[in-house]
Amino acid sequence: MALMKFFFETIRFCIRGFVYALSFLFPYSRMSLFLRRITVFLYTSWIARDFKHFGKNSGVIPFFSLLRGGQYISIGNRCTIGAGVELTAWDSYQGQKFCPEIVFGDNCSIGEGAHITAVISIRLGNNVLTGKRILITDNSHGVFEEGMLDVPPILRSLNSKGGITIEDNVCIGEKASIMPGVHIGKGVIIACNTVVTKDIPPYCVVAGVPAKIVKKLR
């Protein structure tokens, strides 16, 4: 038993020594970045054909939480989509028919765990940056009417107040929500946890539930 224990301890020591020596040649920080780039390249190459358009030098960090209706989704050039994003364009639901579109401009960066869903239209301009776990939706399940509330939410029809437009250079903070029918102007900054229910003019900072202008930049 003592000999066996010595044998395994020796092997363990040699392996640890080898890995330690290897870390000087291939530091973890460099290797992790290298492996990340490879996985992004392979996953993006595999999934890009599911989209209506997928721009040059754009990438998706594995994996989508859910991707549906890719044939209605266009991604611009040099865009990055974070891990765990749910991206859906619904052309039918519970017998309803829709003509959805989701369009990302160039240089957009969508944070990890974001949820973007459309039955009509969601359009992002160029250079839009979002934090993690944001929500952009142009639809909801059912309406607040007598009789409708007795229907299980998952079975209620999808309703929309209109599409969403987010113009260039907008920054959307972590966990913010953009609700149906909203137009957000250029250069807007949306604070974390903000719920946007109305149009936002260009070049201002908004925060709160619902969103209110806290500062105008121009």
Side-chain angles (χ1 to χ4, degrees), residues 65-81:
S65 172
L66 176 63
L67 174 64
R68 182 176 178 124
Q71 68 269 31
Y72 307 112
I73 302 172
S74 298
I75 308 295
N77 299 322
R78 300 175 299 280
C79 291
T80 301
I81 299 175

Side-chain angles (χ1 to χ4, degrees), residues 68-142:
R68 182 176 178 124
Q71 68 269 31
Y72 307 112
I73 302 172
S74 298
I75 308 295
N77 299 322
R78 300 175 299 280
C79 291
T80 301
I81 299 175
V85 168
E86 185 170 322
L87 185 59
T88 55
W90 298 91
D91 59 7
S92 64
Y93 187 83
Q94 299 292 343
Q96 296 174 279
K97 298 297 182 182
F98 304 103
C99 296
E101 67 165 357
I102 297 177
V103 179
F104 293 176
D106 297 334
N107 303 307
C108 291
S109 181
I110 307 301
E112 177 182 325
H115 181 191
I116 301 174
T117 178
V119 297
I120 296 180
S121 174
I122 294 176
R123 303 183 68 89
L124 277 61
N126 299 323
N127 310 307
V128 173
L129 172 67
T130 86
K132 298 179 180 179
R133 296 180 290 280
I134 59 103
L135 169 66
I136 303 176
T137 177
D138 73 356
N139 63 88
S140 61
H141 282 274

Side-chain angles (χ1 to χ4, degrees), residues 149-207:
L149 303 182
D150 292 325
V151 178
I154 195 67
L155 299 179
R156 297 172 191 169
S157 59
L158 294 182
N159 292 273
S160 178
K161 295 181 179 179
I164 295 171
T165 299
I166 300 173
E167 296 191 19
D168 298 347
N169 303 321
V170 170
C171 180
I172 304 173
E174 189 163 316
K175 298 181 182 178
S177 298
I178 314 298
M179 306 311 288
V182 165
H183 186 119
I184 298 174
K186 291 182 179 179
V188 168
I189 297 174
I190 300 172
C192 297
N193 298 302
T194 297
V195 178
V196 180
T197 59
K198 296 181 180 180
D199 292 354
I200 305 296
Y203 306 113
C204 63
V205 179
V206 298

Side-chain angles (χ1 to χ4, degrees), residues 8-30:
F8 283 115
E9 286 295 330
T10 302
I11 292 179
R12 182 181 178 184
F13 176 80
C14 291
I15 291 175
R16 290 186 64 181
F18 174 76
V19 172
Y20 181 75
L22 201 63
S23 69
F24 285 94
L25 296 175
F26 305 102
Y28 173 78
S29 58
R30 293 183 182 178

Side-chain angles (χ1 to χ4, degrees), residues 7 44 84 113 165 187:
F7 175 73
T44 301
T165 299

